Amino acid sequence: MPMTLDPCAKPGLIHPDEAIPLLLSQVSAIDDSEMVRLAEALDRVLAEDLASGLDLPPFDNSAMDGYAFRFDELNGQESGSFKLAGQAFAGHPFKGELPPGHCVRIMTGAPVPAACDTVQMQEQTQVQDDAILIQAPKGKGANVRRRGEELKAGTRVLTAGTRIRAAELGVIATIGISQLRVVRRPIVAFFSTGDELRPVGSELAPGQIYDSNRYSILGLLQKAGVEWLDLGVIPDDPEALRQAFRTAAAKADMVLTSGGVSVGEADYTKQILEQEGQIHFWKLAIKPGKPFAFGRIGKALFCGLPGNPVSSMVTFHKLVWPMLLKLQGQAQSQPLMLTAALSTAVRKQPGRVEYQRGILSRNAEGALEVALTGSQGSGMLTSMSLANCFILLDQYQGDLQVGETVMVEPFHGALA
Ligand code: AMP
Ligand code: MG
């Protein structure tokens, strides 16, 4: 561990933007990969560049339903009359010779006969007995999608590290690839800690609550494309915790926990983790989500999220998500930030960066405005469910009035 990870080297709170590079410096991309069938590749990350073996499109084809003809046969006139020589449908090329003064009925996607160079859309033609009147053509080559105009055979189409979305599935199919090499999914072992937590489906005794973090974090991990190992709820008991950490670290690339990292509680976790691995307990200048633990247990990375339900989601989004991207060899992407006018007043004490939960919309004038979801307690998970964005308030910001401009980060990545 480099010295910079030692919170003692940085008195006070660590700004989350400073924490990210420190975290990322500890993460190396997984170098195992596996072959998957294209239909199973959604949300996986490409382990190698993909080049096209084909020109795209692979042949000159029509962009319209209409008539293919030789432009020069118009002899510079505004219109011309052509005899019909045959037809070309998608998948059924025109076969035969095209005598002078003839055209071919052609459909979208059908190969343009070699003798033709232009397609006139059907709506700008007239059928006259046994001839077709082509009127006001746009110019030579109109409505023809040329072979290789999108890309030439041999060109790299996708680079290693690309996450495969619906569009990439289609692009890969377009170049005829049925199996591809993707990065092995990172394995993330997760458990919740806390004597007060009960799994859903059981009865609550006085003082108990349901373990919700395991489900919100499960959702985030599934969206992040990782393989998840659910180790349940572990009570605040040193031996149970020790066992859970060992089991998790033996199987996972990353051990993720919630709870037990705040000042009052960290003692147990701290004591055990100091024996089992190398861990740093941070106080981040972020609200919600001040306490955060990071380090290594065996070969596994360890991230300890705070237990408060909103805090655990915010710290996952801000700190763990970039680590999961790096583990999978994906480039970091800067979130799309927008500015919007507040339609509710905001209370904020200077000191920490705040991720207040907002609802972003367009007002009647078409301008972006953002309202708070309501109370902003770090235990109020409904504030995340109501929100479609974070309202980002910087460390030194104080209260804000209705109408003031704020920065918003629409939910994206695992949160969307
Ligand atoms: P901790 O970080 O363990 O001190 O917990 C902070 C707050 O979050 C307490 O009110 C806990 O009851 C609550 N909490 C901790 N873990 C969970 C969880 N898995 N699901 C719901 N609430 C939790
Ligand atoms: Mg706890």
Side-chain angles (χ1 to χ4, degrees), residues 35-41 172-173 175-181:
M35 292 298 285
V36 292
R37 293 191 301 132
L38 180 57
E40 285 150 14
I172 296 166
I175 60 175
I177 292 177
S178 62
Q179 298 214 352
L180 50 148
R181 188 159 287 285

Side-chain angles (χ1 to χ4, degrees), residues 192-193 196-197 209-213 258-260 262 265 306-309:
S192 305
T193 68
E196 76 283 27
L197 303 175
I209 57 169
Y210 287 117
D211 170 17
S212 61
N213 290 351
S258 92
S262 56
E265 274 205 324
N308 269 312

